[in-house]
Amino acid sequence: MRRITKARLKYCGLGAMTEDVLVLVSELVTNSILHSGTTEISLKVTLQEGRLRINVHDGIEGSIKPKQPNDSAESGRGLALVSALVQENGGEWGVSEDGTTVWCLLLAREERK
């Protein structure tokens, strides 16, 4: 998924966003794999009206909330990282009403030539 996302960003002239978007995709997809228990997860990345939207859908209803891990925890920081990266990129993130989809909306940054 990372390779396809990277290629798509480059194709759309959004290579400047690659590093941050790949981290977001990795964190959201990994979170769905680890916590949903489903066998099907979809990733959708779209560009519309100067905004890049990332949707990760697992079809499993539920709530998604960032954890406050202690210093020795080996996991639990993914959504905090998502939140920080989204904020840094002038965007927002959230979860669908039924909890089946996590999304991020970022301001598109084109590559400088």
Side-chain angles (χ1 to χ4, degrees), residues 18-84:
T18 300
E19 189 174 317
D20 288 347
V21 171
L22 292 183
V23 170
L24 292 169
V25 165
S26 292
E27 289 297 332
L28 295 178
V29 169
T30 299
N31 199 50
S32 285
I33 290 169
L34 291 175
H35 301 292
S36 71
T38 187
T39 58
E40 274 190 52
I41 295 170
S42 66
L43 167 68
K44 184 175 180 180
V45 180
T46 55
L47 177 63
Q48 188 174 16
E49 298 177 9
R51 292 168 102 37
L52 184 72
R53 184 177 185 97
I54 303 165
N55 284 354
V56 175
H57 177 81
D58 62 26
I60 303 298
E61 294 183 11
S63 63
I64 299 167
K65 295 178 182 161
K67 295 179 181 177
Q68 297 296 326
N70 63 37
D71 291 341
S72 63
E74 293 183 16
S75 65
R77 295 173 182 81
L79 290 178
L81 178 59
V82 166
S83 184

Side-chain angles (χ1 to χ4, degrees), residues 66-107:
K67 295 179 181 177
Q68 297 296 326
N70 63 37
D71 291 341
S72 63
E74 293 183 16
S75 65
R77 295 173 182 81
L79 290 178
L81 178 59
V82 166
S83 184
L85 280 174
V86 168
Q87 188 175 19
E88 185 176 293
N89 283 281
E92 57 185 305
W93 75 281
V95 181
S96 64
E97 211 171 282
D98 62 2
T100 61
T101 303
V102 180
W103 55 269
C104 297
L105 194 57
L106 310 171
L107 294 176

Side-chain angles (χ1 to χ4, degrees), residues 2-13:
R2 289 172 51 93
R3 198 174 341 179
I4 293 167
T5 301
K6 182 178 180 178
R8 190 65 182 158
L9 290 171
K10 184 176 181 180
Y11 176 80
C12 292

